[in-house]
Amino acid sequence: MGEDSDSGSYHQREMSQHAQAMERLNLSVNKPKDMESYVGYANLPNQVYRRSVKRGFEFTLMVVGESGLGKSTLINSLFLTDVYSSQYPGPSQRIKKTVKVETSQVLLKENGVQLRLTIVDTPGFGDQVDNSNCWTPILDHIDSKFEDYLNAESRVNRRTIPDKRVHCCLYFIAPSGHGLKPLDVEFMKRLHEKVNIIPLIAKADTLTPLECREFKKQIMKEINENKIKIYEFPDIEEDEETKENKKLAERVPFAVVGSNMILECNGKRVRGRQYPWGIAEVENLEHCDFIPLRNMLIRTHMQDLKDVTNNVHYENFRCKKLTAVTAGEGKRPNPKGMSDKNPLEQFENEKDEHEAKMKKMESEMEQVFEMKVKEKKQKLKDSEADLQRRLEQMKKSLEQQQRELEEKRRNFEVEKKSFEESQKMQDERRKLENSKTLDGKKQKQKKTIF
């Protein structure tokens, strides 16, 4: 009965808060104004509201835990969208040999409000035989985003600074029932001063209600013993919100169940997981803490998570960086090549580096141009030499042919001369023979006469 009343009170409070918000936003429209006493600054919240809705909101959520604990399914259930799908599977479906930080972005729209959601997952975390220093890539990623934001604040143009800082870390604890593992304790101790940690008991449907309560007590006991700072709900003066924060704090760590399947239960369509003994409903307070987690993460405390990130964790990082610079400790090498210079000096250095880069590019372009000119000249010289060589070859060939022709002409003249001489000799022989034959005939005629 207590759980049913809590569930009903959640929805009633949500409806009443929504109605109060709409009344406050429409106050300037619905309430008649006394023109003598009305100035107009009461409309400032409406201006802020319209500008915020037009600009949209950004939120970065990190999910960390061993593979197979339902991280992808829970993210899809929280935002009612397929952040992870068959085309882009969750971290457990793409396990890496080492821990590697990967980000995925999705644009969500609801009632005209845009949310640019960035999911940071860590495939390979806690899945190795030796998990020592497996949190180092995660720490480096968080510090790099702080460093990017600090550098963006130091630039001349600061109109649009994208906020990629990690605002919340959902740490999934395996439902072993025996408390935290050494890896869980060490990871949260390393990160609790850099990000808002919200511990979750994954796959809570594998525990009985009694086991779940005892497991929560054991986890909180170990967290307090190890002095781990998890996200604390803010103290608010309003009694109703204070009571709600106390109820949320009592449920930490949240025991969650994720599912993307719609099932039929008592004539209603619910999201849950089907078992032989029944259905574990995701949005049922008697079965898990999914509704309080969603309300806290999205509906009531998202802005507070961003404020704590900006005012506490980022300011601590910024203070350490600037203190290191002023104390002369900025010469120590930092991971990922992070700079320890003050903003003005860094700006001047960036300017000098840019000018040096431009001069280097100019000199390289000149060198390339000169090289191309030299190559062109060399090609022209080579072609000219080739033409000259071909011309010489053609001249030699012509001279050779001319000599051969002269030789043939001389041979022809010699042959012609010898032929003419032989012809003369033959003619002379014929003449002698003819003369001899005539003389013989004359002698015969004289003999016949006598």
Side-chain angles (χ1 to χ4, degrees):
M1 293 296 292
E3 299 292 344
D4 292 336
S5 61
D6 287 345
S7 178
S9 61
Y10 268 114
H11 294 291
Q12 290 176 1
R13 281 196 294 272
E14 290 174 11
M15 295 298 294
S16 62
Q17 289 175 2
H18 181 69
Q20 291 174 5
M22 294 301 295
E23 289 177 2
R24 286 196 296 267
L25 291 174
N26 297 327
L27 181 63
S28 60
V29 178
N30 297 331
K31 186 177 179 180
K33 304 179 181 61
D34 187 359
M35 299 307 296
E36 295 180 356
S37 60
Y38 179 75
V39 178
Y41 52 81
N43 198 44
L44 286 174
N46 295 339
Q47 299 179 28
V48 175
Y49 170 79
R50 289 193 294 269
R51 180 171 294 182
S52 299
V53 170
K54 182 179 180 180
R55 185 170 56 246
F57 300 91
E58 294 177 329
F59 190 72
T60 302
L61 179 65
M62 174 180 281
V63 289
V64 183
E66 300 175 4
S67 61
L69 293 181
K71 299 186 292 294
S72 307
T73 304
L74 182 67
I75 294 300
N76 290 344
S77 302
L78 280 173
F79 296 97
L80 292 179
T81 185
D82 291 333
V83 178
Y84 299 105
S85 60
S86 57
Q87 289 78 17
Y88 184 72
S92 61
Q93 303 298 324
R94 43 192 173 89
I95 300 175
K96 307 294 181 182
K97 293 182 179 180
T98 57
V99 180
K100 183 179 179 181
V101 178
E102 298 181 356
T103 61
S104 56
Q105 297 180 351
V106 61
L107 180 62
L108 305 177
K109 295 182 181 180
E110 184 181 43
N111 295 334
V113 179
Q114 292 186 355
L115 174 64
R116 289 181 289 275
L117 176 66
T118 302
I119 302 296
V120 182
D121 55 46
T122 55
F125 176 83
D127 297 331
Q128 311 302 319
V129 177
D130 183 9
N131 291 308
S132 57
N133 298 324
C134 65
W135 49 79
T136 302
I138 302 173
L139 283 171
D140 293 342
H141 177 79
I142 295 174
D143 287 339
S144 67
K145 297 306 176 184
F146 281 156
E147 182 73 19
D148 293 342
Y149 195 85
L150 179 61
N151 293 336
E153 284 186 331
S154 305
R155 294 193 181 98
V156 177
N157 185 7
R158 300 188 301 172
R159 292 182 180 179
T160 57
I161 301 178
D163 189 4
K164 301 300 182 181
R165 298 171 294 181
V166 180
H167 302 117
C168 179
C169 174
L170 299 181
Y171 186 72
F172 287 73
I173 302 170
S176 62
H178 302 296
L180 297 174
K181 299 179 182 178
L183 177 61
D184 301 332
V185 175
E186 188 65 27
F187 174 82
M188 287 191 283
K189 288 176 68 175
R190 297 273 182 168
L191 264 73
H192 67 152
E193 292 184 351
K194 295 181 178 292
V195 68
N196 299 311
I197 297 177
I198 299 177
L200 305 180
I201 299 175
K203 295 186 176 181
D205 50 341
T206 60
L207 301 172
T208 64
L210 179 60
E211 290 174 343
C212 188
R213 286 193 294 269
E214 294 298 327
F215 193 34
K216 284 186 176 184
K217 291 179 182 178
Q218 181 65 23
I219 290 174
M220 292 305 299
K221 179 183 176 182
E222 295 184 13
I223 286 176
N224 294 328
E225 288 176 353
N226 291 279
K227 297 180 181 180
I228 298 173
K229 301 175 185 178
I230 60 175
Y231 173 70
E232 296 181 359
F233 296 94
D235 295 330
I236 303 175
E237 297 179 357
E238 299 181 10
D239 294 336
E240 185 177 351
E241 293 190 10
T242 302
K243 292 179 180 178
E244 184 177 350
N245 288 341
K246 288 182 179 180
K247 289 184 178 181
L248 289 173
E250 291 174 357
R251 290 184 173 271
V252 176
F254 295 101
V256 295
V257 177
S259 176
N260 298 326
M261 296 180 62
I262 305 297
L263 303 174
E264 190 78 21
C265 180
N266 297 327
K268 296 181 180 179
R269 294 174 61 83
V270 296
R271 282 190 300 158
R273 306 182 75 88
Q274 181 73 52
Y275 292 99
W277 46 263
I279 297 176
E281 298 180 22
V282 173
E283 298 178 351
N284 191 334
L285 285 171
E286 295 181 357
H287 296 175
C288 68
D289 298 330
F290 176 81
I291 290 179
L293 174 64
R294 183 182 63 185
N295 293 342
M296 183 276 297
L297 190 62
I298 301 175
R299 301 183 183 180
T300 58
H301 290 77
M302 178 179 284
Q303 187 60 44
D304 185 68
L305 288 167
K306 297 176 68 175
D307 292 340
V308 172
T309 300
N310 184 68
N311 300 331
V312 179
H313 301 300
Y314 173 67
E315 285 300 322
N316 290 338
F317 174 84
R318 182 174 175 272
C319 181
K320 289 180 181 178
K321 295 289 290 185
L322 297 180
T323 302
V325 172
T326 55
E329 298 176 1
K331 296 182 180 180
R332 294 181 301 176
N334 287 331
K336 297 291 184 181
M338 292 163 58
S339 161
D340 284 333
K341 301 177 183 177
N342 62 55
L344 293 177
E345 183 181 356
Q346 186 174 355
F347 174 74
E348 292 295 331
N349 290 340
E350 289 180 356
K351 181 180 177 182
D352 295 340
E353 289 177 0
H354 181 70
E355 291 179 354
K357 185 178 179 181
M358 295 301 294
K359 289 181 180 179
K360 184 179 178 181
M361 291 176 62
E362 184 178 358
S363 63
E364 288 178 353
M365 291 178 67
E366 289 179 354
Q367 291 177 1
V368 171
F369 178 75
E370 291 178 357
M371 188 181 300
K372 288 187 176 181
V373 169
K374 288 181 180 179
E375 290 178 356
K376 193 69 175 177
K377 287 182 178 179
Q378 188 63 35
K379 286 183 179 179
L380 290 173
K381 288 182 180 179
D382 293 342
S383 61
E384 184 179 1
D386 184 59
L387 290 173
Q388 189 68 27
R389 185 172 59 255
R390 291 171 62 184
L391 178 63
E392 294 295 332
Q393 290 178 355
M394 291 177 68
K395 283 183 177 180
K396 290 180 181 180
S397 176
L398 289 173
E399 290 176 355
Q400 182 68 21
Q401 291 179 5
Q402 187 175 3
R403 286 195 295 269
E404 291 177 355
L405 289 174
E406 288 292 332
E407 185 69 22
K408 289 180 179 181
R409 188 176 64 80
R410 285 195 295 272
N411 293 334
F412 176 75
E413 292 292 336
V414 171
E415 290 178 356
K416 180 181 178 183
K417 188 176 181 181
S418 62
F419 177 75
E420 288 177 350
E421 289 178 353
S422 63
Q423 285 293 114
K424 283 182 179 180
M425 292 177 66
Q426 288 178 3
D427 291 340
E428 289 177 355
R429 286 195 193 99
R430 281 196 293 272
K431 287 179 179 180
L432 290 173
E433 289 176 357
N434 292 331
S435 62
K436 287 179 179 180
T437 53
L438 289 173
D439 291 339
K441 287 180 179 180
K442 287 180 178 180
Q443 289 178 2
K444 287 181 179 180
Q445 290 177 356
K446 286 179 179 181
K447 286 180 179 180
T448 53
I449 295 174
F450 291 106

